[in-house]
Each structure stands twice: as structure tokens, then as C-alpha cells.
Amino acid sequence: MSLREYTRQWNEQVQGKSAADVIRFAADRVDGPVALGCSFGAEDVALVHMVTQLERKVDIFYLDTNLHFQQTYETRDRLAQRYGCRFIQVLPALTLKEQAEQYGKSLWLRDPDACCRLRKVEPLRWILGKYKAWITGVRQEQSPTRADTDLIEWDPVFDLVKINPLAYWNSEHVWRYIRKHDIPYNPLHDQYYPSIGCFPCTRPVKPGEDLRSGRWSGFSKTECGLHQRADTVTKK
């Protein structure tokens, strides 16, 4: 049986388990290193707390686009101090200056898909090449493109196991967990930023708007390309 087929069985077996137990179940069954991809949003700070309580080592990396809000970097530092963990910095191949020289100034204003590919997707592909599974904070509630997310699934884009322990959580579940454990979080969440990306492409969300409507406002783009669904990718 292939690892892809195993993930279907594992997903069935973790139904009803807590988020922490989903992580523990999957990590114990993956034969190889596991990592948490952290963007320092509300979901991910909750996951940082969970993985730092595990006996098994789980690496935590973040994609440093060099365009994050200062509050995001400060959240990183507060989490590192609180939990004694090391966050692996993953940088794009091009500096912002080099990107401007090759693609023009402020690429994100003209072609945000290209900018995300250069500063997020390609670095993610590189770092995930070192792992057999990655843990994410993707939730079904976040957007229609994430509505069929499973707790454990095969990622056909990066060819590894994808663990989404918060898939069935709503926003209140996330914040209840953060408050219960007094977890440091990005203060921008208190300023109507439910989803926080790079500062040129993120704005506060107005009442009644979709949780991710503050990302790439003015474009039809809703995803950076890190979490493509299986039905949008050619099967291997």
C-alpha cells in the first residue's frame, strides 16, 4: 500500500480525536522527519503550542518573504522565548532588490501570483524536500477553496503527507485554545486582521467580509499557492 493510500486510512482513524492527538497519531506513523509550517497567525501559534508539548521532535519553519509586518517578527520572537523553540528561517532565492531588478519594482502590485511563487511557493518546495510530512493550520471555515480539507491527506503538490489538525475548528475554537493556554499571538488580530500575510498585500477585514478578503484585495487571488487542492493538480 502506498503512503498516499495510508493517509486515507489514517484520516478515517483520527475522526473525533483532538487536534493534538491528530498530530501525535500522524507523526508517530510517518517514517521520517515532520515539520510545522508556521506563518505566526492565530492557527499557527496554537499549533506551535501543541508541537512543543510532543515528545517527538517536530521542526518549525517559516517562509520569510522579507515583507512581513514587524508585528509578525515580534510574535515569532515572543513564541521562541516562551517555548524555547527555534524557528527555521526559509528565504527566497532572490532578495527584494534582485527581484526588482529582474521582474520590476513592486511585483506584488502587478502580478501577485508571480511574487508568491518566488517568495513563498518555491522556498516551500525547497524546505519540504527535507520532510515526509508537514503540519498546517488550514481550516475548512477559512475559504471555499479549503472547505473539503481533511485532517490527514496526501499533498500532491509537494508529494508528502499533509496534516491539518485544525481542519474542523472554527475561529472561536482557535481563540478559545489561545486564551486557555495564554499563547502569544500577533496583535494585528486585534485590529481586524484575521488572516495576516505580507504587509503590501494585506488589509483589515470589514464586518461581514470573508475571513481572507483582506488578502490580495483588488485581485481575484485568494490563495498564495501553498495549499492547492488535489482536484486542481495533475495526479502523479
Side-chain angles (χ1 to χ4, degrees):
M1 185 182 296
S2 69
L3 190 53
R4 181 181 304 186
E5 292 171 322
Y6 272 120
T7 60
R8 297 192 186 100
Q9 290 189 1
W10 294 345
N11 184 62
E12 294 176 358
Q13 293 170 13
V14 296
Q15 298 301 312
K17 291 183 179 292
S18 70
D21 283 342
V22 170
I23 297 173
R24 189 175 293 106
F25 177 97
D28 287 347
R29 284 160 178 76
V30 172
D31 184 19
V34 178
L36 165 62
C38 182
S39 65
F40 305 107
E43 292 82 6
D44 290 344
V45 301
L47 290 172
V48 168
H49 177 270
M50 292 180 197
V51 302
T52 55
Q53 312 305 305
L54 297 175
E55 292 183 4
R56 171 169 178 167
K57 181 178 183 292
V58 173
D59 288 342
I60 310 175
F61 69 83
Y62 69 103
L63 305 177
D64 192 347
T65 63
N66 300 127
L67 291 167
H68 290 310
F69 289 91
Q70 181 60 33
Q71 292 93 328
T72 300
Y73 293 113
E74 292 169 356
T75 301
R76 173 201 61 190
D77 296 341
R78 290 165 60 210
L79 288 165
Q81 182 176 15
R82 172 72 65 85
Y83 300 114
C85 53
R86 183 177 75 90
F87 293 101
I88 301 170
Q89 180 191 47
V90 182
L91 290 165
L94 300 177
T95 65
L96 289 172
K97 181 180 178 181
E98 291 168 339
Q99 179 173 297
E101 290 172 348
Q102 293 189 34
Y103 296 91
K105 186 178 179 180
S106 301
L107 179 62
W108 49 86
L109 295 179
R110 295 175 287 102
D111 191 345
D113 284 329
C115 190
C116 284
R117 176 178 56 81
L118 292 168
R119 309 205 74 75
K120 291 185 178 181
V121 179
E122 291 180 1
L124 180 65
R125 185 176 299 280
W126 174 80
I127 189 67
L128 287 184
K130 302 175 181 290
Y131 297 97
K132 295 296 183 181
W134 70 312
I135 303 164
T136 86
V138 172
R139 296 187 295 109
Q140 292 183 350
E141 180 195 48
Q142 290 170 327
S143 70
T145 59
R146 301 181 177 192
D148 60 348
T149 299
D150 288 326
L151 293 169
I152 303 175
E153 56 191 9
W154 181 258
D155 189 325
V157 179
F158 301 108
D159 204 34
L160 78 174
V161 176
K162 188 174 183 181
I163 307 164
N164 309 301
L166 309 184
Y168 304 156
W169 283 24
N170 60 31
S171 182
E172 179 55 32
H173 290 132
V174 175
W175 285 104
R176 189 184 306 141
Y177 189 90
I178 289 172
R179 290 191 293 267
K180 177 180 178 180
H181 298 283
D182 190 28
I183 303 171
Y185 66 87
N186 195 322
L188 288 174
H189 288 308
D190 295 330
Q191 300 174 37
Y192 308 104
Y193 287 84
S195 178
I196 303 169
C198 298
F199 67 81
C201 302
T202 309
R203 65 162 175 82
V205 169
K206 300 174 183 177
E209 286 188 315
D210 181 87
L211 293 174
R212 291 180 62 83
S213 61
R215 305 288 296 276
W216 307 286
S217 185
F219 292 90
S220 59
K221 179 178 175 65
T222 59
E223 295 281 354
C224 54
L226 306 184
H227 300 292
Q228 292 187 49
R229 301 302 302 156
D231 56 2
T232 68
V233 180
T234 301
K235 302 285 187 181
K236 291 189 178 183

